[in-house]
Amino acid sequence: MPAESNRAGGAEAQPEVHPLAAPLVAGHRRALARAITLAESSRPDHQQEAQRLLAEVLPHAGRSVRIGLTGVPGVGKSTFIEALGLHLTGAGHKVAVLAVDPSSQRTGGSIMGDKTRMPGLTADPNAFIRPSPSGGALGGVARRTREAITLCEAAGHDVILIETVGVGQSETQVAAMTDVFVLLTLPNAGDELQGLKRGIMERADVCVVNKADTDPAATNRAQSELAAALHLLTPRLADWQPRVLQSSALRGRGLEEVWAAVQDFMSSPERVERKRRAQTGTWFDDLLREAAWERLSAGIDVAELRRTRSQVLAGTLTPVQGVLNLMPPTGA
Amino acid sequence: MPAESNRAGGAEAQPEVHPLAAPLVAGHRRALARAITLAESSRPDHQQEAQRLLAEVLPHAGRSVRIGLTGVPGVGKSTFIEALGLHLTGAGHKVAVLAVDPSSQRTGGSIMGDKTRMPGLTADPNAFIRPSPSGGALGGVARRTREAITLCEAAGHDVILIETVGVGQSETQVAAMTDVFVLLTLPNAGDELQGLKRGIMERADVCVVNKADTDPAATNRAQSELAAALHLLTPRLADWQPRVLQSSALRGRGLEEVWAAVQDFMSSPERVERKRRAQTGTWFDDLLREAAWERLSAGIDVAELRRTRSQVLAGTLTPVQGVLNLMPPTGA
């Protein structure tokens, strides 16, 4: 990848090409950071620029392993990402760390922004850490994160680690944009899984009992319990049975096994392609409906919408009647 | 309820009142059947009539236990519904049996239409059985079933059993419209749960190992396994831990226990109210977005939509770009 660096200066002089495209594809960190900032901007001209840039670099994207990571607070996510990330950069990979925190309204000020959580990766030239974007229009945080993935991939990052931060829909959103979804748990998994959002365990492709060193016996027990529970659940993919592993990120143990499971998952291009296509299709359909709603709701009086919704919730109006009242079928 | 029958003839002579409203609320079966047929019709004038009727009877709806039932084919759903339904009519309840089968395109010809599956209930004057509706416009099968629930409730049915039929989204749809979602399993639950759709077990408020008489030892084992798995899963409701019971519908055993669990769930009006409000809110928001999409998509060329979606799936266009192409932000 460093061999390609001189492409950054190789201006092809086409007026349509966005000036960030070449340095971004050449892997310049600053170009990548600026491109993500552009994509995160809600200014219409920035948005147009960002869409042009994304279209230009899209052919360079897609060649990475997208790993989602989730787990309750205290499970050791930062330490795990730091350890796994350094393990991977040490093995020659270029790693990007992103986060999804729908609750974050602080621009650049999310928990992820606190790079002191991952001092090793922060100092590593082959790692790129980006805080969670804040809301924005169509598609919100999920859109900004997906665009950041594309940009990181185009910049040559072949491992993208996407962390869930905060509450809300972040786990579901991250699971819907990653190839391998990893659930970190603690040795006392039985109690702790109760704190997880519903449906998260069913989305896990890999479960890792972290902090295994603190209580090996409990860790083994948790591993068996999780394996038994996952065996009972319907596998999300017909050709992948979720794995349950152990790790001690603090002591650097178990990371090779996690990475081996990830590679195992990725070893079937058909499986990855099928999963990505399904994710993309759902995302596109959701975006279409969201865009349609944004468009139409602009013509709906907010107070009327709120009043109608209250009536529906109070049971004095059926949902269908509420919708018909707001959008009369005779049409404008 | 028979005491109210004379209300059917008691014309209040208000021209706005739909002629089916009074006999329906009086509990006349034929009026109920005709009202559901009206609601299922896709003719615009029928739809307007149906909405008027629904609005009129809405104050009489909501006072029932809505029980969803799911399970793989062969689990004995029909026998279970027949046995539970007769148990309940025997105890003085008025029972309605509905079905959700999104795959059914045959009007009135769905599997549920085969009333020979439930001969006892079919002949029972206190039971009302209705086949799964077919598709239709806004809201589809789920909407028709929700409207049928409202009409059955208004007709005095205080227990609504809604069965999932066929494949697809029926389990999710039924879980989203019922108070208590019951998952029927077989004694060999370990193997059989693999055949369930993902996320179904997590939605169960009550699990029942049916056909317990065929293999008591396996039934006990399945019960323990299910209880352990459900304990590991995050409960959907903070104040309800899913129950795992046994039954032999064929021998009429375990039905009291299932009904007791349902009543237990319903014993907290706050819990039921909270669940129903959440269901209604989600349904309303989904319908709004669907209506907006229906409205807007009418102006989108189908071939262009298909072409754009292919490009998005092929990765040559980002989903956001696809949406922006189909719905340029500059407006019409």
Side-chain angles (χ1 to χ4, degrees):
Chain A
M1 282 146 226
E4 287 191 69
S5 292
N6 52 350
R7 278 183 60 186
E12 293 181 58
Q14 284 183 303
E16 314 83 12
V17 174
H18 194 281
L20 281 173
L24 173 76
V25 171
H28 288 209
R29 294 169 68 90
R30 182 165 300 183
L32 173 56
R34 286 180 54 202
I36 295 178
T37 303
L38 192 67
E40 286 177 352
S41 168
S42 46
R43 265 178 53 181
D45 57 328
H46 286 173
Q47 272 302 302
Q48 282 188 16
E49 257 193 77
Q51 290 310 313
R52 217 179 82 209
L53 178 59
L54 280 160
E56 281 160 12
V57 303
L58 197 57
H60 300 274
R63 288 186 290 273
S64 82
V65 187
R66 301 166 188 163
I67 305 173
L69 284 139
T70 194
V72 296
V75 78
K77 261 184 296 179
S78 307
T79 309
F80 188 89
I81 292 172
E82 165 97 343
L84 180 62
L86 288 173
H87 176 76
L88 293 173
T89 57
H93 292 283
K94 274 187 79 179
V95 175
V97 180
L98 306 172
V100 170
D101 182 2
S103 64
S104 166
Q105 294 303 321
R106 301 164 290 166
T107 316
S110 81
I111 304 168
M112 267 302 294
D114 184 5
K115 292 186 180 181
T116 57
R117 287 196 304 139
M118 303 171 192
L121 276 183
T122 303
D124 190 326
N126 285 314
F128 177 86
I129 303 184
R130 182 79 183 191
S132 176
S134 51
L138 181 66
V141 167
R143 165 176 168 181
R144 314 247 174 259
T145 309
R146 283 164 188 266
E147 290 174 344
I149 291 174
T150 300
L151 294 168
C152 288
E153 288 177 343
H157 290 273
D158 62 337
V159 180
I160 319 281
L161 298 171
I162 302 139
E163 179 188 10
T164 65
V165 181
V167 291
Q169 293 302 308
S170 62
E171 295 96 340
T172 314
Q173 289 181 343
V174 169
M177 64 176 75
T178 49
D179 302 319
V180 185
F181 192 57
V182 178
L183 170 64
L184 294 180
T185 69
L186 289 170
N188 59 335
D191 304 328
E192 174 234 342
L193 285 178
Q194 299 282 330
L196 284 177
K197 269 191 82 71
R198 276 176 54 73
I200 293 312
M201 203 168 78
E202 290 208 333
R203 288 180 165 270
D205 301 300
V206 178
C207 278
V208 185
V209 186
N210 193 30
K211 302 195 178 176
D213 55 309
T214 61
D215 191 340
T219 301
N220 288 336
R221 211 159 45 236
Q223 191 176 16
S224 315
E225 282 175 13
L226 279 166
L230 282 169
H231 179 71
L232 274 182
L233 296 176
T234 315
R236 189 163 42 124
L237 303 172
D239 59 352
W240 180 260
Q241 177 64 34
R243 308 284 169 83
V244 186
L245 305 168
Q246 302 189 1
S247 74
S248 170
L250 197 65
R251 303 187 189 283
R253 286 212 292 264
L255 302 169
E256 293 87 351
E257 286 79 2
V258 173
W259 179 242
V262 167
Q263 283 181 300
D264 221 15
F265 186 96
M266 302 299 289
S267 67
S268 162
E270 297 75 31
R271 175 164 54 219
V272 176
E273 178 61 18
R274 210 182 317 125
K275 190 168 180 180
R276 287 190 177 182
R277 276 180 73 97
Q279 288 175 338
T280 304
T282 305
W283 175 239
F284 177 64
D285 295 343
D286 288 350
L287 272 186
L288 265 182
R289 276 153 189 75
E290 185 184 329
W293 169 244
E294 276 188 8
R295 195 66 57 85
L296 257 176
S297 63
I300 295 176
D301 182 57
V302 175
E304 197 195 339
L305 173 58
R306 202 170 293 146
R307 194 167 49 245
T308 304
R309 200 170 191 280
S310 301
Q311 291 175 306
V312 167
L313 287 179
T316 56
L317 197 65
T318 72
V320 169
Q321 288 160 343
V323 169
L324 294 176
N325 288 356
L326 291 168
M327 290 186 234
T330 38
Chain B
M1 279 145 231
E4 288 190 70
S5 292
N6 53 349
R7 278 182 60 186
E12 293 180 60
Q14 285 183 302
E16 313 85 10
V17 174
H18 194 282
L20 281 174
L24 175 75
V25 171
H28 288 209
R29 295 169 66 91
R30 182 165 299 185
L32 174 56
R34 285 180 55 202
I36 296 179
T37 303
L38 192 65
E40 286 177 353
S41 167
S42 46
R43 264 179 51 182
D45 57 328
H46 286 174
Q47 272 303 301
Q48 281 187 19
E49 257 193 79
Q51 290 310 312
R52 217 180 83 208
L53 177 60
L54 279 160
E56 281 160 12
V57 304
L58 197 57
H60 300 274
R63 288 186 289 273
S64 82
V65 187
R66 302 165 188 162
I67 304 173
L69 284 139
T70 194
V72 296
V75 78
K77 262 183 297 180
S78 306
T79 310
F80 187 90
I81 291 172
E82 165 97 343
L84 180 63
L86 288 173
H87 176 76
L88 293 172
T89 57
H93 293 283
K94 273 187 79 179
V95 175
V97 180
L98 305 173
V100 169
D101 182 3
S103 64
S104 165
Q105 293 305 319
R106 299 163 292 165
T107 317
S110 81
I111 304 169
M112 267 302 294
D114 183 5
K115 294 186 179 179
T116 56
R117 287 197 306 139
M118 303 173 190
L121 277 182
T122 303
D124 190 327
N126 285 315
F128 177 86
I129 304 184
R130 182 80 183 190
S132 176
S134 52
L138 181 66
V141 167
R143 165 177 168 181
R144 312 248 174 258
T145 310
R146 283 165 188 266
E147 290 175 344
I149 292 174
T150 299
L151 294 167
C152 288
E153 288 177 344
H157 290 273
D158 61 337
V159 180
I160 319 281
L161 298 171
I162 302 139
E163 179 188 11
T164 65
V165 180
V167 290
Q169 293 302 307
S170 63
E171 296 95 341
T172 315
Q173 289 181 344
V174 169
M177 64 176 74
T178 49
D179 301 319
V180 185
F181 191 58
V182 178
L183 170 64
L184 294 180
T185 69
L186 289 170
N188 60 334
D191 303 329
E192 174 234 342
L193 285 177
Q194 299 282 330
L196 284 176
K197 269 191 81 70
R198 276 176 53 75
I200 292 314
M201 202 167 78
E202 291 207 333
R203 287 179 167 271
D205 301 301
V206 178
C207 277
V208 185
V209 186
N210 193 31
K211 302 194 178 177
D213 55 309
T214 59
D215 190 342
T219 301
N220 288 336
R221 209 158 49 236
Q223 193 176 15
S224 314
E225 282 176 13
L226 279 167
L230 282 169
H231 179 73
L232 274 182
L233 295 177
T234 314
R236 188 163 43 123
L237 304 172
D239 59 353
W240 180 260
Q241 178 64 34
R243 309 283 169 84
V244 186
L245 305 168
Q246 302 189 2
S247 74
S248 170
L250 196 65
R251 303 185 189 284
R253 286 212 292 265
L255 301 168
E256 293 87 352
E257 287 79 1
V258 172
W259 179 242
V262 167
Q263 283 181 301
D264 220 15
F265 186 98
M266 301 299 290
S267 66
S268 161
E270 297 75 30
R271 175 164 54 221
V272 176
E273 177 61 18
R274 209 181 319 123
K275 191 168 179 180
R276 286 189 177 183
R277 276 180 72 97
Q279 288 175 339
T280 304
T282 304
W283 174 239
F284 178 64
D285 295 343
D286 287 352
L287 272 187
L288 265 183
R289 275 152 190 76
E290 187 185 329
W293 170 243
E294 276 188 7
R295 194 68 56 87
L296 257 176
S297 63
I300 294 177
D301 181 57
V302 174
E304 197 194 339
L305 173 59
R306 201 171 294 147
R307 194 167 49 245
T308 304
R309 199 169 191 281
S310 300
Q311 291 176 307
V312 166
L313 287 179
T316 56
L317 198 64
T318 71
V320 170
Q321 288 160 343
V323 170
L324 294 176
N325 288 357
L326 291 169
M327 290 187 233
T330 39

